[in-house]
Amino acid sequence: MEKTLVSAVVITYKQEQYIKQTLDSVFAQDYDNLEIVITDDNSPDSTFSIIQEYVRDYTGPHKVIINQNVPNLGIAGNVNKGVALSHGEVICLFDGDDISLPNRVSKSVKLMQENGVEGGTLNMEYINKDSCSTGFYVEPIGDVTKIFGIKDYLSDNYI
């Protein structure tokens, strides 16, 4: 049985100093059936040229789609564009300054399938410019999975 196609959607705008590390972490995902969609929101810096060079040199197994919006669409518009370009049954969003562990996608898909959920939110660890941890968004309590409903997400108490 073939694994669910996941679209890793990378949203960028003015992230030239971070985008290579972000792409390294997205392209290093250990999930087999992965499509990578990168959409830049018309960055005035070299973000998009770095993306183009990275993708040009890529020889791995994943299908890669790149896009540059003209004109700038804003955050929501850029996310919507990335989703529209995706073919996956599951969408995993990455910001252009995120660095993810290699099992982020595989672990997310597994947790969603095991728990019968339609979406998920993950904790994040803040890092400084040297990639050293400066703390968590929410202090982790081991490897805990909690199931929330839509009412929980609409409140301020779901994290």
Side-chain angles (χ1 to χ4, degrees):
M1 184 166 96
E2 189 170 311
K3 285 184 175 180
T4 300
L5 176 63
V6 174
S7 295
V9 178
V10 183
I11 307 302
T12 68
Y13 181 69
K14 293 194 326 187
Q15 291 161 321
E16 65 186 0
Q17 76 184 100
Y18 307 109
I19 190 60
K20 182 164 181 332
Q21 288 178 288
T22 296
L23 295 176
D24 285 345
S25 77
V26 173
F27 281 78
Q29 291 300 303
D30 64 6
Y31 191 80
D32 296 335
N33 199 12
L34 186 69
E35 160 188 82
I36 300 170
V37 177
I38 308 163
T39 180
D40 179 69
D41 205 17
N42 203 22
S43 294
D45 62 8
S46 63
T47 300
F48 191 66
S49 62
I50 294 168
I51 292 166
Q52 288 176 304
E53 182 178 339
Y54 194 100
V55 171
R56 185 186 65 235
D57 295 339
Y58 176 66
T59 59
H62 305 304
K63 176 182 177 185
V64 181
I65 299 167
I66 63 171
N67 169 69
Q68 185 177 42
N69 300 322
V70 178
N72 179 290
L73 301 177
I75 294 171
N78 199 23
V79 170
N80 289 339
K81 183 66 173 189
V83 170
L85 293 169
S86 299
H87 301 94
E89 187 178 328
V90 172
I91 307 287
C92 188
L93 292 175
F94 295 78
D95 289 335
D97 60 355
D98 290 351
I99 300 173
S100 294
L101 297 173
N103 66 345
R104 175 183 173 191
V105 172
S106 59
K107 187 172 184 178
S108 297
V109 170
K110 181 179 181 217
L111 287 169
M112 289 173 65
Q113 290 173 340
E114 286 176 350
N115 294 285
V117 297
E118 298 290 324
T121 302
L122 304 172
N123 196 5
M124 67 179 143
E125 183 175 7
Y126 297 109
I127 58 175
N128 63 20
K129 65 182 174 69
D130 300 316
S131 296
C132 296
S133 178
T134 61
F136 289 89
Y137 181 68
V138 175
E139 277 304 314
I141 311 168
D143 194 13
V144 176
T145 301
K146 295 182 181 179
I147 307 297
F148 297 98
I150 192 68
K151 288 180 182 178
D152 298 306
Y153 276 97
L154 296 175
S155 76
D156 290 335
N157 301 318
Y158 79 92
I159 299 292

